Amino acid sequence: MPLDARSLGAALNENLTLHSTLCRREAGAFLQAVQTGEDLVVACTQEQRLFVELAEQASATQAGAPRAISGYAPLRFVNIRETGGWSRDATLASPKIAALLAVAHLPEPEPVATVTYKSAGRLLIIGELGAAERAAELLGDALDVTLFTQGAGDAGAAQERRYPVLGGQIQSLTGWLGAFELQWLRSNPIDLDLCTRCNACLAVCPEDAIGLDYQVDLSACQAHRACVKVCQVAGAIDFQREPQISRETFDLVLDLRATPAFSQHALPQGYLRWDGRSLTTLLQLRGLVGEFEKPRFFVYKPKLCAHSRNEKTGCTACIDVCSASAIESDRSRQQIKVNPNLCIGCGTCSTVCPTGAMGFAYPRASDQGVKLKTLLATYTRSGGKNAALLLHSQGAGARLLGDLGRAAQLERASKTGTHGVPARVLPLALWHTSSLGLEVWLSAVCYGASQVWVLLTDEEAPQYRAALEGQVAVAQAILSGLGYQGEHFRLLQVKDARDLAALDHDLQAAPAQTVGRTAGFAVQADKRATLELALSHLIEQAPVKTDVVALPATGSPLGALVINKDACTLCLSCVNACPASALQDNPQALELRFVEKNCVQCGLCVKTCPEQALTLMPRLSPQRNEAVVLNAMQPYACVRCGKPFGTLKAIEAMLGKLSSHSMFQGEALARLKMCADCRVIDIYSADNETKITDL
């Protein structure tokens, strides 16, 4: 792997010393660097564990006593080998390596509030009793196990009862690590707490309706009641017992059933499934005892939310995309509700949220923006061109890129072998690939990226891919509509090593057209603000000047409104429903105004309009900052006092609907043409009507 310490040092504004065996005979240089107390970046991830151990030993020796890892200078690790040096164009990878090192120098994101779990190790195992007992044997020494029988299974229960056993019909299982609640109906005649497993009932039952889980199959039982007679001493069998609902709480759940209790893609933490073969699941359970913390990944701003107004439901994007079932509608408060204990921190809700009401807190969008800007600026400053940003997960995505680099290294002698990660492709690891979307992708293009690719693996839920496909469609439509040539955004699907050849081919795609001048703005905490900054720069640098860019019909956070003026009565109910102030009235005149920049295409105005006069139109217009008048009318003046109190069309519509009503016949019809004050005066001053006081 060719490395030029001088050019890399110039790009990073520091003096660099090249080491080839820092983890072996040159380890002394690493120990000296650790003892300086300065932040260190190690360009090797293979020997990360060794470097951490060396740093711990150096810290303990220097202090004269054992110290934790926090006792020495912060260590950061970056992979420049598989992602850059091991490829066929490694000689051109110096700008990319400089960019990766520059990003590794950045400080860690500031900490955020945390969510705490407490587990005492109370484990519920659900499944056939024989299999459940075998699993309990592997866990009982570390966890407090309770079994819930789902039949005897092949082996049935052991003769010795070592664990509490529950039975009945499961009504619900809810919760998360440390707070699961099981609700079940106890409807079986045999009380498992009283049963001594003497097997006398099984021996005398003529229908074999009692299994080795010591429960009665009521569909097979013929009511001979021989079992009741032989169980008189224990008194465990009672067919007259009324079914009753029982509840119990657990910290952990191990589900052995084919049909799990939770159907969502992201299962609650503390709930695991086991097929009876892999021991990894059981090892996970043994480690889930104690107190645990995770970041509170989301920030929710109800005032920006476009979910609900006036009992009308608008945007449900975050609810629909959540794979953990952590988000639900809170209609009583006209907003959504997020369960932080169920949230897994994928950030997809913030990606699809059109208003920015749902934000990703850790790491924040602004922190990710700094990474992007540093990565692309360093790459360009070091002489790199046509950067392609490759977003991948720090788990499976990083491993697949490592496999691709290794394959390129092993096949470097072959002219037709694996190419590896090209020099212009800049990998960036994310907590989750769907945590960044439209506004950050477009910002990356503004910073000079030629393309933005997202590497997807089996980690992502199906709805995540659908959401990202929608984001790609909108982002590409914007750039194509503005005249930027080429394909700028793509999702790359890789399941395992068998797909590496296709990935290797996709990464060699030709670059697309980017901006002529890179932008200097920073990614903002406010999503819409970032989007507007990016759009403004892209429009300013656009190769083609256009009036309107059409966007996809679904999933667009940008667009306008089409109004049917013949149907609109200018009741202005849409203004009250709009959560983004895109629709506005005019205090000085009877007008309905619209600011396209503010519109998030949530559809609340469309659903609220009583005349169904509004239609959404996804688009991008360069004049989106200007307030335009959608409709205007002359006010209707009271026929008695002349005061304006409504619109001409609204009064005409009211007259048409109420003219046949018995209360508005003859001269009374004129009251509909009066303001509220004059209507009351006319009722009390009319001489030709019967008053209530006359009856």
Side-chain angles (χ1 to χ4, degrees):
M1 179 174 65
L3 290 174
D4 186 346
R6 180 175 298 178
S7 61
L8 289 175
L12 299 173
N13 296 319
E14 62 176 300
N15 294 322
L16 295 180
T17 302
L18 182 62
H19 298 279
S20 57
T21 54
L22 191 63
C23 57
R24 297 295 186 266
R25 64 173 179 269
E26 295 178 320
F30 171 74
L31 294 175
Q32 287 182 346
V34 168
Q35 293 171 357
T36 63
E38 299 179 357
D39 291 3
L40 295 181
V41 174
V42 180
C44 175
T45 53
Q46 175 183 312
E47 298 294 347
Q48 180 172 339
R49 179 178 177 180
L50 173 62
F51 285 121
V52 169
E53 290 178 353
L54 289 174
E56 287 177 338
Q57 294 173 7
S59 178
T61 302
Q62 186 176 13
R67 297 177 65 186
I69 190 170
S70 59
Y72 56 82
L75 281 178
R76 299 189 184 91
F77 297 89
V78 58
N79 184 347
I80 64 171
R81 188 176 67 177
E82 284 84 355
T83 60
W86 281 1
S87 69
R88 292 189 180 275
D89 51 1
T91 56
L92 306 174
S94 184
K96 173 166 69 172
I97 293 174
L100 295 176
L101 291 173
V103 170
H105 274 80
L106 294 175
E108 293 294 325
E110 293 184 6
V112 295
T114 58
V115 179
T116 302
Y117 299 91
K118 293 182 179 180
S119 169
R122 296 168 299 168
L123 170 65
L124 173 67
I125 302 179
I126 306 173
E128 294 180 344
L129 194 53
E133 287 187 340
R134 288 194 295 272
E137 291 296 324
L138 299 172
L139 297 168
D141 62 317
L143 302 172
D144 181 10
V145 178
T146 299
L147 312 180
F148 197 103
T149 176
Q150 297 287 286
D154 296 335
Q159 193 62 45
E160 178 186 1
R161 182 171 60 183
R162 299 185 57 188
Y163 309 99
V165 180
L166 307 177
Q169 301 173 15
I170 295 179
Q171 304 293 304
S172 65
L173 176 62
T174 58
W176 49 84
L177 176 62
F180 287 101
E181 181 178 283
L182 174 71
Q183 178 176 302
W184 76 98
L185 179 66
R186 298 180 61 180
S187 56
N188 204 276
I190 299 181
D191 188 332
L192 293 173
D193 290 332
L194 299 177
C195 177
T196 62
R197 300 189 183 184
C198 68
N199 297 316
C201 58
L202 280 77
V204 300
C205 179
E207 295 91 14
D208 293 327
I210 304 177
L212 281 174
D213 62 338
Y214 304 103
Q215 295 284 272
V216 179
D217 182 356
L218 296 175
S219 63
C221 179
Q222 298 297 317
H224 293 89
R225 301 298 185 261
C227 57
V228 177
K229 295 178 181 179
V230 300
C231 194
Q232 288 181 352
V233 175
I237 306 178
D238 182 0
F239 284 86
Q240 305 303 317
R241 185 185 299 112
E242 291 292 331
Q244 61 182 31
I245 294 291
S246 297
R247 294 180 178 83
E248 196 163 339
T249 59
F250 299 92
D251 299 315
L252 305 163
V253 177
L254 179 63
D255 201 336
L256 310 183
R257 298 173 295 172
T259 303
F262 298 94
S263 58
Q264 65 264 33
H265 182 272
L267 301 175
Q269 296 186 66
Y271 173 87
L272 290 90
R273 300 182 62 193
W274 191 46
D275 57 6
R277 294 188 294 270
S278 173
L279 295 179
T280 304
T281 302
L282 302 185
L283 293 175
Q284 274 186 274
L285 282 170
R286 296 174 71 92
L288 290 177
V289 179
E291 185 170 323
F292 307 91
E293 286 187 344
K294 70 175 182 182
R296 187 182 177 93
F297 290 103
F298 65 92
V299 174
Y300 177 56
K301 303 174 183 176
K303 291 183 178 180
L304 299 179
C305 186
H307 171 61
S308 178
R309 289 287 192 282
N310 304 324
E311 301 300 323
K312 300 287 186 181
T313 300
C315 176
T316 60
C318 61
I319 298 175
D320 298 337
V321 83
C322 182
S323 70
S325 298
I327 309 176
E328 60 183 0
S329 175
D330 188 356
R331 293 293 297 274
S332 63
R333 297 186 178 183
Q334 303 287 289
Q335 60 189 42
I336 57 100
K337 180 169 57 177
V338 186
N339 187 328
N341 295 285
L342 293 177
C343 174
I344 61 170
C346 68
T348 319
C349 54
S350 65
T351 296
V352 300
C353 178
T355 65
M358 186 66 71
F360 197 40
Y362 187 82
R364 301 175 179 87
S366 55
D367 294 326
Q368 298 287 38
V370 171
K371 277 189 177 183
L372 288 177
K373 200 170 185 180
T374 302
L375 185 73
L376 293 166
T378 306
Y379 176 77
T380 303
R381 188 172 64 249
S382 303
K385 296 180 179 180
N386 300 319
L389 182 65
L390 179 61
L391 304 177
H392 63 88
S393 68
Q394 59 190 27
R399 288 193 296 272
L400 286 167
L401 288 180
D403 292 342
L404 182 64
R406 179 180 301 173
Q409 173 72 357
L410 294 175
E411 301 170 16
R412 61 182 177 178
S414 171
K415 295 182 179 181
T416 60
T418 303
H419 183 279
V421 183
R424 76 178 191 93
V425 176
L426 308 181
L428 182 64
L430 303 177
W431 171 257
H432 204 286
T433 50
S434 58
S435 61
L436 296 182
L438 177 71
E439 74 285 352
V440 179
W441 297 351
L442 292 176
S443 297
V445 175
C446 293
Y447 294 155
S450 170
Q451 285 139 319
V452 178
W453 296 330
V454 182
L455 180 61
L456 302 180
T457 66
D458 285 342
E459 293 176 318
E460 289 82 13
Q463 58 264 44
Y464 293 173
R465 180 179 178 87
L468 290 175
E469 286 175 344
Q471 298 277 302
V472 166
V474 175
Q476 188 60 59
I478 291 173
L479 291 187
S480 297
L482 293 175
Y484 293 93
Q485 300 299 312
E487 184 186 33
H488 297 81
F489 306 98
R490 184 190 292 185
L491 303 182
L492 307 176
Q493 182 71 56
V494 180
K495 294 181 180 179
D496 51 42
R498 290 171 293 182
D499 298 326
L500 288 181
L503 175 62
D504 191 49
H505 176 268
D506 291 340
L507 293 180
Q508 298 177 60
Q513 185 178 5
T514 187
V515 294
R517 178 177 59 83
T518 58
F521 68 84
V523 171
Q524 306 294 304
D526 182 270
K527 178 176 184 173
R528 297 293 293 194
T530 300
L531 183 58
E532 285 304 315
L533 289 169
L535 291 174
S536 297
H537 187 79
L538 291 171
I539 292 173
E540 177 188 342
Q541 298 289 309
V544 176
K545 303 302 179 183
T546 181
D547 292 334
V548 175
V549 176
L551 298 180
T554 57
S556 173
L558 303 166
L561 281 175
V562 177
I563 188 168
N564 183 349
K565 294 185 178 181
D566 294 333
C568 176
T569 62
L570 220 60
C571 65
L572 300 181
S573 57
C574 55
V575 174
N576 183 51
C578 181
S581 299
L583 287 165
Q584 304 170 0
D585 60 355
N586 184 353
Q588 307 301 323
L590 203 55
E591 293 178 347
L592 176 62
R593 294 183 172 185
F594 177 71
V595 182
E596 184 176 323
K597 180 184 74 171
N598 296 343
C599 183
V600 298
Q601 298 284 287
C602 65
L604 278 169
C605 57
V606 175
K607 295 181 179 179
T608 300
C609 179
E611 289 83 25
Q612 298 181 347
L614 295 174
T615 305
L616 297 176
M617 179 188 288
R619 73 174 195 180
L620 174 64
S621 171
Q623 289 77 37
R624 68 193 187 284
N625 296 327
E626 304 171 5
V628 297
V629 177
L630 291 183
N631 200 7
M633 293 182 186
Q634 292 295 323
Y636 187 89
C638 174
V639 296
R640 182 183 179 105
C641 69
K643 181 176 67 175
F645 72 97
T647 67
L648 176 62
K649 186 166 289 187
I651 300 302
E652 288 177 346
M654 183 171 60
L655 290 172
K657 293 179 180 179
L658 298 179
S659 59
S660 60
H661 197 282
S662 59
M663 290 184 60
F664 301 102
Q665 300 301 311
E667 296 181 1
L669 184 63
R671 291 183 188 137
L672 295 177
K673 304 176 183 179
M674 300 178 187
C675 65
D677 294 336
C678 291
R679 200 173 301 154
V680 174
I681 295 172
D682 188 70
I683 290 174
Y684 278 94
S685 62
D687 296 330
N688 59 346
E689 293 188 13
T690 302
K691 298 180 176 59
I692 189 68
T693 55
D694 299 332
L695 299 178

